[in-house]
Amino acid sequence: MATDVMPAHSEPARPEDNYLTASRGFMSWAVTLDHKRIGVMYLIGTMTAMFLGGLLALVLRAEHLSGNPNTLPFVTHDVYNQLFTLHGAIMVFLFIIPSIPAALGNFILPVMLGAKDVAFPRMNLCSFYLWIIGAIFFVCALLTTGLDTGWTFYTPYSTNTSQTNVVLATFGAFILGFSSIFTGLNFIVTIHTMRPPGMTWFRMPLFLWSLYATAIIQVLATPVLGITLLLLAAERMFGLGIFDPKLGGDPVLYQHFFWFYSHPAVYIMILPAMGIISELISTFSRKPIFGYRFIAFSSMAIALLGFLVWGHHMFTSGQSEMVTIIFSVLTFSVSIPSAIKVFNWLATMYKGSIVLATPMCYALSFLFLFTIGGLTGLFLGALATDIHLHDTYFVVAHFHYVMMGGTLVAFIGGLFYWWPKMTGRMYNEFWGQISSLIVFVAFNLTFFPQFVMGSRGMPRRYYNYLPEFQVYHVLSTIGAFLLGFGLLLAAIVLIVSLFKGKKAPANPWGAATLEWQCTSPPPLANFEKTPTVGNPYDMNSVVWDPDTESFIRRGDVPTVKDEATPAHS
Amino acid sequence: MATAVEPHESHEDGHDDWHHQPFSAHHFENAEQQFDSGKLGMWLFLVTEILFFSGLFCAYAVYRSTHPEVFIYASQFLDKYLGGMNTIVLIFSSLTMAWAVRCAQLGQRNGLVTLLGVTLFCAALFLGVKTFEYTEKAHKRLLWSGAFVKATDIGKKSQVFEVGKPLPKAEFEDRVMASLETIKKFWWFACVIPLVLIGIGYGSGSRPWRTTGFAGLISIIGILAGIWISIEIHHAQHGGDHAVGHGDSHAVAEHEGEHAEDGSGEHGHDETAEEKEAAEIDAEALAIQEKTGIEAAEAPDSILGEMNDAIPAISTPVDTTPDPNAPRNANLFFSIYYFMTGLHAFHIICGMIAITWLMVRSVENHFRPDYFGPVDFVGLYWHIVDLIWIYLFPLLYLIGH
Ligand code: HEM
Ligand SMILES: [Cu+2]
């Protein structure tokens, strides 16, 4: 890491080169140190993981079309356990946690900051390969015995009972943890030391603030997961005894350790999404963001408070009443900064000239879905209701509203938003909007019924159900397939744009952040000369220029010539 | 980041030609930015290390507060003199490391290489002592909780290793013995590897190979020296009469083995099985005793031969009477002990690799007053590893003394 030294190479890149065309061949990608290429590789990787996890989810939902044991002949109760475990583990560890920071963040952070790269490019590449290795471990577990512990690996089931390859999966998660730590560490250092002159902390776009807050959680929380998983593996392999009551250990200690990481981890998932939304709402309302400092500081507040509430996952585990009450109170406090953000976004839109481009459609979906998810979190954080709702579909619906309705939707919004920058191509706006509409409707169809059946007592992770729940399950299954279709449509729109899309101008949306000052796609070194740093949300600083079909800086010689946009090949 | 390093500042003005210097990374503006980034990165890494260990300290705190008697009872089996010596060795190595950083800042190559070598030697010494401690404990069967429990009670089918499997006691000792025998037979291999490296280095005129070889040699000598010193310390304390201290230590394992089975609920017939087993063990132990007696006499290496002598388990008959004073679940202490010190030892090994790498680079004269970041960063890492031990030592060794 600290050894990121390499021979200086100062040959000037040819102006028509962008990061995609600067060099060719497999190796030029496999050993690249360019944050943009690493971001793109991460993007492909995480999307593959999501596709896999999504397929598993569809099988799960299909099984629930009826309450009979064998709706799908190959899904036995054992297979069912494996399906939901792998779905959860893949989605959490391989997709959601790395998706926004490592894929979009890697690409955008240095450009937005005005830096040439992240501070430790080799560590960045290493992080990607760790991700690959972790993924291989997961796939091995999947192909050998599967995994049936639930994504939470609760002891003593995972150590004493499960017949599957728990150790393999734990090591996979352990390695993925390091991948995540490397990304976080890199981002913190980059933001601290690589800001160009003029880029003060309070001129940083909010996406960077949110990545910074995320990185803090990644660095502080993930090592605890690492040690927990090591202990778990040692427990299972050698019978260490720390989590085994028979040997004097305590299985609830495992839960404490696990949630000490995993609650902050839910903020690893949502904070970057909130950052994206701040960018999207401001850009497409053509208004400066309302309450910049509040949003920035609320990210930090979430990062810190997030460490204090893990006990709300264990209200029924027999922890002392006093502790339970304290955790409940703290849980309520953590929702305050989230609410602050929502109000600020709404205030930003107020009297703005809202442009319903695809990213904005996703951002609006986010607002709606995340709000529901966050509010139902309060139901769960309240002691009396949680005793009833714990481990029911209500919890499932809650975390899907925040993780999928929040993070995934924001991720797709961000992907549409930065797609022209990343690929140099514009996608088809109409079909993009349609995809967002389908995703929004289908999402609610899938998960809203789960709130209802959960509150009526349908337990989560059950293979069968009573007839009275059938209608909700069927609705949910229909929604799930529709949702799958919506996401597929979004993917198709993006992929088609690679071949058919118009060439993207430098700044198609009229945003004022730095990444729009360089060409689309950016040149290898991001900026030929250090960019001018201004207020990131001053929408008046750019004007539409019909000649280049792009926004350009007002009264300014364009820093980057748009004609120079290279042909994408 | 405050860097507080003067040599560095004198360089600041010259950052025009910075990009032409050998170890400049292209995406940094100047050497200072590169150094600051590295340093901040290293500090963050240290934070993750601390949090990594914090889980274990937390587990320690929980069990120490819920089972204080276990900690007080079991920690008497740790040798505070060995632990104390290791503490001094590590503190001394931190001094030499800090001094090495200073040498790098001042551009004193020879001092740098020598001090790195001393640090490496101390690290190896530490590992040697730990090797002795682990081996001795394994012989006394002072192991983690699950080591004596039936395989069916802990991890199942897909276990990767079979360590958790209960070994009939005789077989258990046989195995420990066998592994020791293997080490005894092949320990010189470990010396051969660095010698070969040195050979390659001289043969091909490659300095990096040679340096790596020498570093390896230092490490191995250090480890052997560590083992030898611990044997001396051990002898000095027990005066050759091991049986006394040994008897009750044995009891923990026995006792625990039983308790674990009690807990599992399927016993009754186990009692007789155990007795039978015990009889078997005595016989086996005698046989082994004879075997090892011979082997130890003709052991090629005096150090490892002596190690056998110092470790009494095999040479004394197995005492199967449980210690009436042993608290329930006493082996939990050893679970924590092995995990914490094991993880720490792993960090020492990583540190040794890093120091070797520094030695190679400093022999190559890579470090100069305006470029010494890596030495500084590894130094920081070394201090944290040291610091963790400084907490581990009292927490594990000095309870109830
Ligand atoms: C607005 C603030 C939030 C509050 C007050 C909140 C509260 C809770 C509570 C109390 C539970 C435990 C329910 C139970 O098991 O009985 C829970 C579960 C969960 N929450 Fe949240 N939550 C919030 C936001 C989030 C966010 C933003 C995410 C992710 C992006 C998230 C992801 C999860 C997950 C994954 C679980 C279930 C874990 C499991 O048992 O498998 N939550 N939440
Ligand atoms: Cu939580």
Side-chain angles (χ1 to χ4, degrees), chain A residues 1-10 116-121 145 159-167 174 178 181-182 185 188-189 192-195 219-221 223-224 226-227 230-231 234-250 253 257 260, chain B residues 19-29 33-34 36-38 40-42 44-45 47-49 51-52 54-56 58-59 62-63 67 144-147 149 153-164 260 263-264 328-329 332 335-336 339 343 357 361 371 374 377:
Chain A
M1 42 158 304
T3 67
D4 271 320
V5 281
M6 58 186 107
H9 57 92
S10 48
K116 287 188 189 132
D117 207 323
V118 291
F120 309 117
T145 55
T159 49
N160 292 17
T161 316
S162 174
Q163 299 286 333
T164 56
N165 238 330
V166 180
V167 172
F174 180 79
F178 273 91
I181 290 177
F182 283 5
L185 200 158
I188 296 183
V189 176
H192 268 278
T193 63
M194 311 273 291
R195 278 174 290 129
V219 165
L220 294 183
V224 178
I227 196 67
L230 272 192
L231 282 169
E235 178 85 50
R236 189 173 164 92
M237 294 192 304
F238 307 122
L240 196 65
I242 300 241
F243 299 136
D244 189 343
K246 213 161 51 201
L247 302 173
D250 181 0
L253 187 67
F257 281 1
F260 184 82
Chain B
H19 278 289
H20 303 289
Q21 298 198 349
F23 299 110
S24 63
H26 76 287
H27 59 288
F28 291 116
E29 288 303 320
Q33 194 185 32
Q34 178 166 350
D36 286 353
S37 300
L40 178 59
M42 197 64 214
L44 285 172
F45 177 69
V47 169
T48 66
E49 287 287 7
L51 279 151
F52 197 61
S54 71
L56 294 176
C58 206
V62 168
Y63 291 120
H67 304 289
W144 58 92
S145 315
V149 179
D153 292 341
I154 55 169
K156 283 272 177 98
K157 198 164 102 189
S158 56
Q159 268 188 337
V160 177
F161 303 107
E162 295 206 310
V163 183
S264 72
R328 198 173 141 75
N329 289 327
L332 197 61
S335 298
I336 290 176
F339 205 91
L343 199 66
W357 169 74
R361 289 193 65 183
Y371 175 74
F377 308 150

Side-chain angles (χ1 to χ4, degrees), chain A residues 259 262-264 266-267 309-310 312-313 398:
Chain A
W259 289 114
S262 289
H263 184 82
V266 308
Y267 293 110
V309 300
W310 77 89
H312 66 212
H313 294 270
H398 154 68

